[in-house]
């Protein structure tokens, strides 16, 4: 019995990072807000680097609720595309072929727990249910302390048609 | 019933909208850097009501294949219009912040068209405002692009509460 040699770690990392970079680069609004992603294995953390244009009320100052909302929706959408497209990431298809259709947001409910401070924010999304047609995703966003969320959100998404036949 | 529980309809009927309240609300929106980044403008303000416009911009695209703008940008427009409606309420809040906001995306916004969000305060208590908003593109006959329901904090001037 022969055992295949595992791929070198840098080959795997390069393929996964290329897939993630392609997914993120395809959406102009992610670049407009400046959202970045850090990947550990298949776990994604979204980062919203602070900039002045994210501020809502300048007299407070605090992050605009709309910027926080957009950040969490991006985190949810990228996590959902990433997790459902993991097979395409691992086969290298995501970094070579045309990008799959993105899921569409049906609804998104945001819960603002404390003001967003004028500094970097982080978010992680969890796909709680992913069916052929619908998915439910929860997002947690924090700044200095992982356990002190400043916002959270739940959204429902319509999965792209081309994924429904699988 | 205390004056800060007045509904917008009743307030309007009483002619209770103060010019300086509306001006304060306009000023409030004008100093929001994120709204400037999205090129939002106040089209109309009235007692507990606000109408904000956001032009189409390719930088806001969420779906590169269709050119439809990202839901997040629509969220920002609706959140701001709801906040503006709260600030334009006759009870003249000093400041407001979003407690929660639910957005329903009912159809894709037509690429190339501006979005118009109309928000209305339905109920105000001493501490909370309940607000609804609807967003249309230029094909208003095709129905709303999105709707929102939210609860907003009310900051009163000290001694006002």
């Amino acid at each position: 019995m022969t055992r295949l040699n595992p791929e070198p770690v840098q080959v795997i990392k390069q393929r996964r990072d290329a897939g993630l970079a392609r997914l993120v680069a395809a959406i102009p609004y992610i670049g407009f807000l400046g959202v970045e992603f850090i990947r550990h294995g298949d776990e994604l953390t979204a980062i919203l680097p602070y900039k002045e244009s994210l501020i809502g009320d300048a007299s407070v100052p605090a992050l605009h609720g709309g910027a926080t909302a957009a950040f969490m929706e991006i985190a949810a959408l990228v996590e959902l595309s990433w997790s459902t497209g993991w097979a395409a990431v691992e086969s290298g298809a995501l970094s070579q072929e045309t990008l799959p259709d993105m899921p569409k947001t049906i609804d998104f409910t945001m819960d603002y727990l404390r003001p967003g401070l004028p500094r970097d924010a982080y978010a992680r999304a969890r796909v709680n249910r992913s069916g052929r047609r619908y998915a439910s995703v929860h997002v947690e966003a924090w700044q200095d302390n992982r356990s002190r969320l400043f916002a959270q959100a739940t959204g429902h998404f319509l999965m792209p048609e081309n994924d429904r036949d699988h | 019933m205390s004056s800060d529980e007045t509904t917008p309809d009743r307030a309007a009927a009483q002619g209770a909208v103060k010019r300086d309240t509306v001006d304060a609300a306009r000023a409030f929106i004008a100093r929001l850097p994120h709204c400037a980044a999205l090129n939002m403008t106040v089209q109309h303000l009235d007692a507990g009501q606000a109408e904000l416009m956001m032009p189409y911009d390719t930088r806001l695209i969420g779906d590169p294949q269709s050119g439809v703008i990202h839901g997040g940008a629509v969220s920002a427009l609706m959140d701001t219009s709801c906040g503006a409606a709260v600030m334009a309420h006759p009870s003249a809040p000093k400041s407001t912040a979003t407690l929660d906001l639910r957005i329903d995306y009912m159809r894709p916004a037509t690429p190339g068209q501006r979005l118009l969000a109309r928000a209305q305060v339905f109920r105000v208590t001493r501490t909370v405002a309940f607000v609804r908003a609807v967003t249309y593109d230029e094909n208003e006959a095709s129905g709303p692009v999105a709707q929102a329901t939210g609860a907003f904090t009310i900051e009163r001037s000290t001694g006002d509460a």
Side-chain angles (χ1 to χ4, degrees):
Chain A
M1 187 175 142
T2 54
R3 187 163 171 266
L4 289 170
N5 278 335
E7 279 184 297
V9 65
Q10 62 269 30
V11 172
I12 300 173
K13 280 188 172 177
Q14 194 181 34
R15 186 171 60 225
R16 291 176 180 173
D17 288 338
L20 177 61
R22 246 190 117 224
L23 196 62
V24 169
I27 303 164
Y29 191 62
I30 295 181
F32 176 80
L33 275 186
V35 176
E36 299 161 3
F37 285 85
I38 285 186
R39 184 194 62 76
H40 292 122
D42 70 343
E43 183 199 65
L44 298 182
T45 307
I47 305 167
L48 181 67
Y50 173 72
K51 54 181 176 179
E52 210 248 335
S53 66
L54 299 174
I55 287 292
D57 191 343
S59 66
V60 177
L63 293 182
H64 192 289
T68 303
F71 174 51
M72 290 193 293
E73 194 177 327
I74 286 169
L77 273 166
V78 171
E79 175 66 42
L80 187 56
S81 303
W82 175 251
S83 61
T84 54
W86 181 250
V89 172
E90 290 301 81
S91 70
L94 187 65
S95 40
Q96 286 154 20
E97 294 168 12
T98 49
L99 282 168
D101 288 340
M102 294 290 285
K104 289 186 170 58
T105 315
I106 299 167
D107 62 59
F108 203 66
T109 307
M110 293 142 273
D111 189 3
Y112 296 92
L113 306 169
R114 35 179 73 83
L117 301 169
R119 58 188 74 158
D120 294 358
Y122 311 95
R124 251 178 233 157
R126 186 181 65 235
V127 179
N128 283 329
R129 149 98 191 153
S130 177
R132 278 191 320 128
R133 298 175 76 180
Y134 309 109
S136 177
V137 184
H138 187 258
V139 188
E140 293 182 337
W142 71 97
Q143 293 190 301
D144 300 321
N145 299 320
R146 177 67 182 89
S147 58
R148 277 171 60 88
L149 304 180
F150 80 104
Q152 60 182 352
T154 303
H156 294 97
F157 298 86
L158 187 64
M159 301 308 289
E161 298 272 357
N162 54 5
D163 284 0
R164 287 187 202 163
D165 303 328
H166 299 174
Chain B
M1 192 185 209
S2 69
S3 64
D4 62 6
E5 287 175 335
T6 314
T7 62
D9 292 342
R10 197 169 299 131
Q14 290 167 347
V17 206
K18 288 184 198 147
R19 200 63 243 164
D20 54 350
T21 301
V22 174
D23 289 345
R26 272 191 207 273
F28 179 79
I29 306 304
R31 60 165 201 263
L32 307 180
H34 191 59
C35 302
L38 292 168
N39 288 313
M40 285 182 209
T41 49
V42 178
Q43 299 292 296
H44 180 73
L45 272 181
D46 210 334
Q49 295 181 50
E51 191 176 279
L52 267 74
M53 193 269 278
M54 183 172 73
Y56 183 77
D57 189 328
T58 53
R59 295 175 304 161
L60 308 182
I61 290 173
D63 183 347
Q65 281 154 20
S66 63
V68 171
I69 72 161
H70 197 276
V74 182
S75 294
L77 177 68
M78 304 259 266
D79 183 78
T80 310
S81 59
C82 288
V86 174
M87 291 305 293
H89 192 266
S91 66
K94 195 174 123 222
S95 174
T96 185
T98 319
L99 271 174
D100 73 39
L101 191 70
R102 178 199 160 107
I103 312 241
D104 297 307
Y105 296 99
M106 298 158 100
R107 67 174 176 88
T110 311
Q113 297 191 356
R114 60 101 181 102
L115 292 177
L116 203 61
R118 294 192 191 111
Q120 185 173 15
V121 177
F122 271 74
R123 173 82 179 162
V124 159
T125 71
R126 199 167 53 81
T127 47
V128 185
F130 299 93
V131 194
R132 293 176 210 174
V134 188
T135 296
Y136 293 93
D137 59 17
E138 290 165 34
N139 305 328
E140 206 158 308
S142 306
V145 164
Q147 67 173 6
T149 316
F152 285 70
T153 65
I154 298 263
E155 299 289 325
R156 305 255 175 229
S157 307
T158 41
D160 197 33

